[in-house]
């Protein structure tokens, strides 16, 4: 079993959650999304993020619009749809439950029952 595969699977799920979270309060374009993730030490390459954004858009969770830019070509801004907002709420509660559960399991001291 390769550790890389397991790590990739873990990252992929978390990444979708993080991308939706980045867009929770305001729309952003790809460079902004990447910067936010990088600042959080979540390293993502552009090649990884585009297929993810496309998948989230095709699932009806994201929408996008083009906006003129003062520096260079127009930018594609992504935002959450209503479905995306609901999906994010569900993911947040699932994440919190998972985090709690994982912490309990991984920090558990083995106790022998008398």
């Amino acid at each position: 079993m390769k550790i890389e595969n397991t790590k990739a699977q873990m990252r992929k799920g978390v990444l979708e959650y993080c991308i939706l979270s980045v867009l929770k309060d305001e729309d952003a374009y790809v460079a902004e999304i990447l910067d936010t993730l990088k600042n959080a030490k979540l390293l993502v390459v552009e090649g990884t993020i585009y297929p993810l954004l496309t998948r989230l858009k095709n699932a009806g969770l994201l929408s996008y619009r083009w906006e003129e830019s003062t520096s260079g070509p127009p930018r594609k801004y992504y935002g959450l749809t209503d479905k995306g907002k609901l999906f994010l709420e569900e993911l947040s509660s699932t994440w919190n439950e998972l985090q709690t559960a994982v912490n309990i399991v991984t920090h558990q001291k083995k106790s022998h029952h008398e």
Side-chain angles (χ1 to χ4, degrees):
M1 192 165 151
K2 287 202 169 69
I3 186 71
E4 288 309 316
N5 294 350
T6 304
K7 281 162 69 171
Q9 287 298 317
M10 286 175 88
R11 286 174 61 88
K12 194 172 155 197
V14 170
L15 202 52
E16 287 186 12
Y17 176 41
C18 288
I19 289 170
L20 293 172
S21 296
V22 168
L23 299 170
K24 185 177 66 190
D25 297 319
E26 59 181 358
D27 296 357
Y29 59 100
V30 174
E32 290 176 319
I33 298 170
L34 284 170
D35 283 348
T36 306
L37 297 173
K38 278 180 191 151
N39 290 339
K41 302 281 186 280
L42 207 59
L43 297 176
V44 189
V45 289
E46 280 192 43
T48 313
I49 202 165
Y50 284 106
L52 261 178
L53 289 169
T54 301
R55 202 165 75 243
L56 294 170
K57 183 180 70 67
N58 291 344
L61 306 178
L62 294 182
S63 60
Y64 67 83
R65 61 186 162 78
W66 290 96
E67 207 171 278
E68 289 301 322
S69 164
T70 47
S71 57
R75 291 176 174 156
K76 193 179 196 178
Y77 278 80
Y78 287 88
L80 292 183
T81 59
D82 288 340
K83 185 177 171 186
K85 287 174 186 160
L86 285 173
F87 194 83
L88 178 58
E89 281 175 28
E90 297 255 330
L91 274 185
S92 292
S93 60
T94 302
W95 175 257
N96 291 333
E97 289 165 15
L98 263 175
Q99 213 178 4
T100 304
V102 169
N103 283 339
I104 291 169
V105 172
T106 56
H107 294 95
Q108 216 169 34
K109 297 276 181 277
K110 294 275 185 275
S111 63
H112 297 287
H113 295 290
E114 303 305 313

